[in-house]
Amino acid sequence: MSGTGSHRLSKRNRYLAWGAAGAVVVAGGAFAATTASAATTWPAQKTFTGRAFDTCTAPSAAAMKAWDTGFYGAAAVYIGGKNRGCAQPNLTASWVKTVSAQGWKLIPLYVGAQPPCQTGTRNEKMTTSNAATLGTADGKDAVAKAAALGMRTGSAIYLDMEPYDTANSSCNKAVLSYVRAFDKVLRGKIYRAGYYGFSSSSAAAIATATDRTDLPGNLWYAKWDKVNTTTSDWPWSKSLYTNHSRAHQYMVNSKEKRGSYTITVDRNAWDAPVAITG
């Protein structure tokens, strides 16, 4: 989340609620195969390992070309969700094709329903009774949005869950129900399930859940320690999310200039699947 506000939620609400590019490899990495049918043929995972950025609005193709200096190799883009905080005038199938041809790897983010106990106003909040239904509906929408942009089956889609009180058991139960329903749809449509959350709350709820059924196979954790790593500051069991399944948002609100284009971005250490385009 760059600038003084949110990329994922509205700029006003986010902070009211809580006070060199690497190589791309193609591998059949694990994707939390709790529900995928053994008979299903999955496209090989497209993994990016290196530094990625995320910013509220997808930059123009010209800006992306100017930013293709080798420091970043991937960019996260907000493909949809009722809580997406910014308009996306540049984010089209043509843009995806153009920047992919420039060499960029893309990380699709979906900002769906948020927890019932989360403070602040949201365009969509789940409840304990409708969490699974919303998760199913949002999962279908996320796949449709990704496919319309030219992000093919086998791509990863990352569900954004902002911070909440994980000690609130009913709230946590709703979140897990929503996430499981969302992920089940993704895997049924042959998309890999990813998840963005905070190491102190929303990501911790996923990483420490005892029941692993239908949980995401790729975890992107926000821990703003300015350390470009997915290993040395990994907060949970070393056996979790191995085999190219981790990403770390390690720095936020970094105002940077490449060519004549200045963009405020968040920096990420990436070792996880990205979208399959082209």
Side-chain angles (χ1 to χ4, degrees):
M1 299 57 6
S2 301
T4 58
S6 167
H7 292 172
R8 299 177 169 83
L9 300 172
S10 73
K11 290 184 178 180
R12 181 177 67 84
N13 283 333
R14 178 171 185 189
Y15 290 105
L16 292 177
W18 55 94
V24 172
V25 299
V26 177
F31 56 93
T34 53
T35 60
S37 167
T40 300
T41 301
W42 279 75
Q45 176 171 306
K46 186 174 185 179
T47 300
F48 171 74
T49 301
R51 199 180 274 109
F53 76 84
D54 63 272
T55 191
C56 191
T57 299
S60 67
M64 292 293 285
K65 184 176 181 179
W67 271 56
D68 186 19
T69 63
F71 187 78
Y72 296 109
V77 291
Y78 294 85
I79 65 170
K82 291 182 179 178
N83 286 308
R84 182 171 65 175
C86 290
Q88 300 293 341
N90 297 317
L91 188 54
T92 64
S94 176
W95 181 91
V96 168
K97 185 176 181 179
T98 297
V99 302
S100 295
Q102 291 172 359
W104 288 100
K105 307 307 175 288
L106 298 177
I107 302 158
L109 262 167
Y110 187 88
V111 195
Q114 294 298 301
C117 60
Q118 195 180 83
T119 58
T121 302
R122 302 288 179 260
N123 293 323
E124 182 181 55
K125 270 191 176 185
M126 68 189 80
T127 67
T128 53
S129 60
N130 72 4
T133 300
L134 278 181
T136 297
D138 284 352
K140 291 177 180 178
D141 185 55
V143 168
K145 294 288 196 303
L149 289 168
M151 298 173 177
R152 304 202 314 262
T153 55
S155 296
I157 299 175
Y158 291 82
L159 174 64
D160 183 309
M161 195 65 64
E162 297 294 323
Y164 68 95
D165 180 8
T166 56
N168 183 323
S169 59
S170 64
C171 188
N172 201 52
K173 182 178 179 180
V175 170
L176 291 175
S177 178
Y178 174 87
V179 171
R180 289 186 170 108
F182 186 95
D183 291 353
K184 190 172 182 179
V185 169
L186 261 59
R187 294 193 183 112
K189 300 288 187 180
I190 322 298
Y191 281 79
R192 289 177 165 87
Y195 182 93
Y196 167 91
F198 282 63
S199 62
S200 59
S201 60
S202 45
I206 298 299
T208 62
T210 303
D211 180 1
R212 309 302 301 169
T213 305
D214 288 329
L215 292 185
N218 305 283
L219 187 60
W220 178 6
Y221 62 104
K223 186 177 183 181
W224 301 337
D225 55 8
K226 299 184 179 180
V227 181
N228 179 22
T229 183
T230 60
T231 55
S232 65
D233 71 348
W234 176 252
W236 306 289
S237 169
K238 291 182 179 179
S239 65
L240 287 173
Y241 297 97
T242 56
N243 195 20
H244 306 294
S245 296
R246 297 178 185 175
H248 171 207
Q249 186 183 67
Y250 66 88
M251 182 177 175
V252 294
N253 302 329
S254 177
K255 190 174 182 179
E256 303 176 16
K257 185 175 183 180
R258 307 283 193 283
S260 59
Y261 296 92
T262 300
I263 308 173
T264 302
V265 302
D266 301 335
R267 292 186 181 184
N268 302 275
W270 204 268
D271 185 27
V274 295
I276 299 174
T277 61

